[in-house]
Amino acid sequence: MLDNRQAGPTALRMHIGARLRRLREEKGIGRVQAGTAIRGSASKMSRLELGRHGFKVRDVQDLLDLYGVDDAAERASLLELVRQSKEPGWWQAYGDVVPSWFEQYLGLEQSATAIRNYEVQYIPGLLQTRAYARAVIGLEYHDASDGLDRRLTVRMTRQEILYRTIAPATMWAIIDEAALRRPIGGPETMRGQLEHLIAVAEGMSNVNVQVLPFAAGGHLALGGPITIVRFAQHDLDDIIYLEQLTGARYPYGPEATRYQEVMDLLAIRASRPSRTAAFLKDLLAEF
């Protein structure tokens, strides 16, 4: 069941698409026939069913007719979701500083029930202090300092999913030791960041933090960060998100399965969550 109190437009579109796909498959109707019914193509149907394209009320009504959905309550429920999916997410007010390729991920993240994240260069964005985040953003956008405060607001607002009163998201973060030792923002900023991670590790039941120490040796994820987003709806697959310098990838199929396996291996090779606070306190003493 979808919790509309927390779902953003991206997750709503994915949920609508999943329901429409299930209805189509139950009737044994192909994407070509469904696409024709809405004056489109099989590729348009694929985008709709994956939640990568906005829905028109007329198209959804035509598909429900094609699929033989006569129940008035079921039709009204789905059409109400279509209406809600058109409402903008809070991050869209920051379109001047949020790259278009990152908007989709924000929609996924804000609707997630669970997030697994591996980071090799920085502390995960959802766990950054304001001072550390400001230093990171300054590095990433060194030639666009005029938007720094707005970018910082976006990053801090993202973190509210971990602290919300109703159904806070859970997070399992694996942080490479390299990210913990890299002195972003200087010693004082790093001390504050490490103290925050210690507080999170010791005091937040919905967040698990693991450290992947240098002693673990080489591994398959050295190339960059991995994020896996999970939703409450059982008919929605996990989303793999790979952020790059000027864009992002969303692998699917066998490639997505491989990233799931890599994340599982990282969790095994990293230190146990119960050891995290002690590791961080030892590191803090060095700063």
Side-chain angles (χ1 to χ4, degrees):
M1 189 62 126
L2 189 68
D3 185 352
N4 294 347
R5 294 170 300 181
Q6 305 297 342
T10 305
L12 286 171
R13 289 198 306 268
M14 292 172 64
H15 181 67
I16 296 165
R19 285 179 63 177
L20 290 173
R21 182 184 68 247
R22 187 169 61 249
L23 290 169
R24 177 180 60 77
E25 291 174 346
E26 287 173 354
K27 291 295 183 178
I29 295 172
R31 284 200 178 102
V32 173
Q33 182 181 351
T36 300
I38 58 172
R39 299 152 295 280
S41 62
S43 61
K44 178 180 178 179
M45 278 304 305
S46 178
R47 292 194 300 274
L48 287 173
E49 291 179 351
L50 290 172
R52 295 175 180 170
H53 194 287
F55 292 89
K56 296 179 180 178
V57 171
R58 176 188 175 188
D59 288 348
V60 174
Q61 289 175 328
D62 289 343
L63 288 172
L64 293 176
D65 290 341
L66 177 65
Y67 302 155
V69 179
D70 299 321
D71 184 87
E74 184 175 2
R75 292 177 70 100
S77 171
L78 198 55
L79 292 173
E80 173 61 16
L81 289 181
V82 171
R83 184 192 67 77
Q84 292 179 19
S85 73
K86 296 178 182 294
E87 296 178 359
W90 63 261
W91 56 91
Q92 291 177 294
Y94 296 87
D96 57 318
V97 294
V98 175
S100 57
W101 55 266
F102 191 52
E103 278 195 28
Q104 180 178 356
Y105 173 72
L106 281 177
L108 299 172
E109 181 183 78
Q110 295 297 296
S111 301
T113 56
I115 297 172
R116 298 176 70 192
N117 180 222
Y118 166 71
E119 286 285 350
V120 66
Q121 182 156 328
Y122 300 125
I123 306 303
L126 293 178
L127 301 179
Q128 292 178 3
T129 63
R130 178 172 291 273
Y132 183 94
R134 178 179 288 276
V136 171
I137 293 169
L139 290 172
E140 294 174 335
Y141 297 94
H142 60 89
D143 57 346
S145 58
D146 56 319
L148 191 150
D149 287 339
R150 286 176 60 75
R151 292 186 175 92
L152 182 60
T153 297
V154 171
R155 188 158 304 184
M156 294 295 101
T157 304
R158 287 170 54 197
Q159 298 182 4
E160 292 177 7
I161 64 171
L162 300 177
Y163 299 92
R164 60 196 180 200
T165 304
I166 300 174
T170 61
M171 183 177 187
W172 195 295
I174 302 174
I175 308 174
D176 197 284
E177 183 175 346
L180 296 168
R181 290 189 176 277
R182 184 170 289 108
I184 302 294
E188 183 177 351
T189 295
M190 283 305 300
R191 281 196 297 271
Q193 179 63 70
L194 291 173
E195 289 169 350
H196 176 64
L197 286 177
I198 292 168
V200 168
E202 293 184 327
M204 293 186 67
S205 60
N206 61 317
V207 180
N208 277 301
V209 180
Q210 284 183 277
V211 175
L212 187 66
F214 291 147
H219 54 83
L220 294 174
L222 283 171
I226 302 171
T227 301
I228 302 176
V229 183
R230 178 164 294 176
F231 307 95
Q233 305 89 272
H234 297 300
D235 52 0
L236 294 183
D237 294 333
D238 291 355
I239 300 294
I240 311 296
Y241 172 73
L242 306 177
E243 184 167 325
Q244 300 167 340
L245 186 60
T246 58
R249 290 182 58 227
Y250 295 87
Y252 60 92
E255 187 182 6
T257 300
R258 182 57 176 151
Y259 277 101
Q260 294 268 17
E261 294 170 349
V262 168
M263 188 68 85
D264 290 340
L265 288 172
L266 290 172
I268 293 171
R269 298 187 67 179
S271 300
R272 295 190 307 275
S274 60
R275 286 282 306 141
T276 297
F279 184 97
L280 294 173
K281 288 175 182 178
D282 289 343
L283 189 57
L284 181 61
E286 296 182 23
F287 277 94

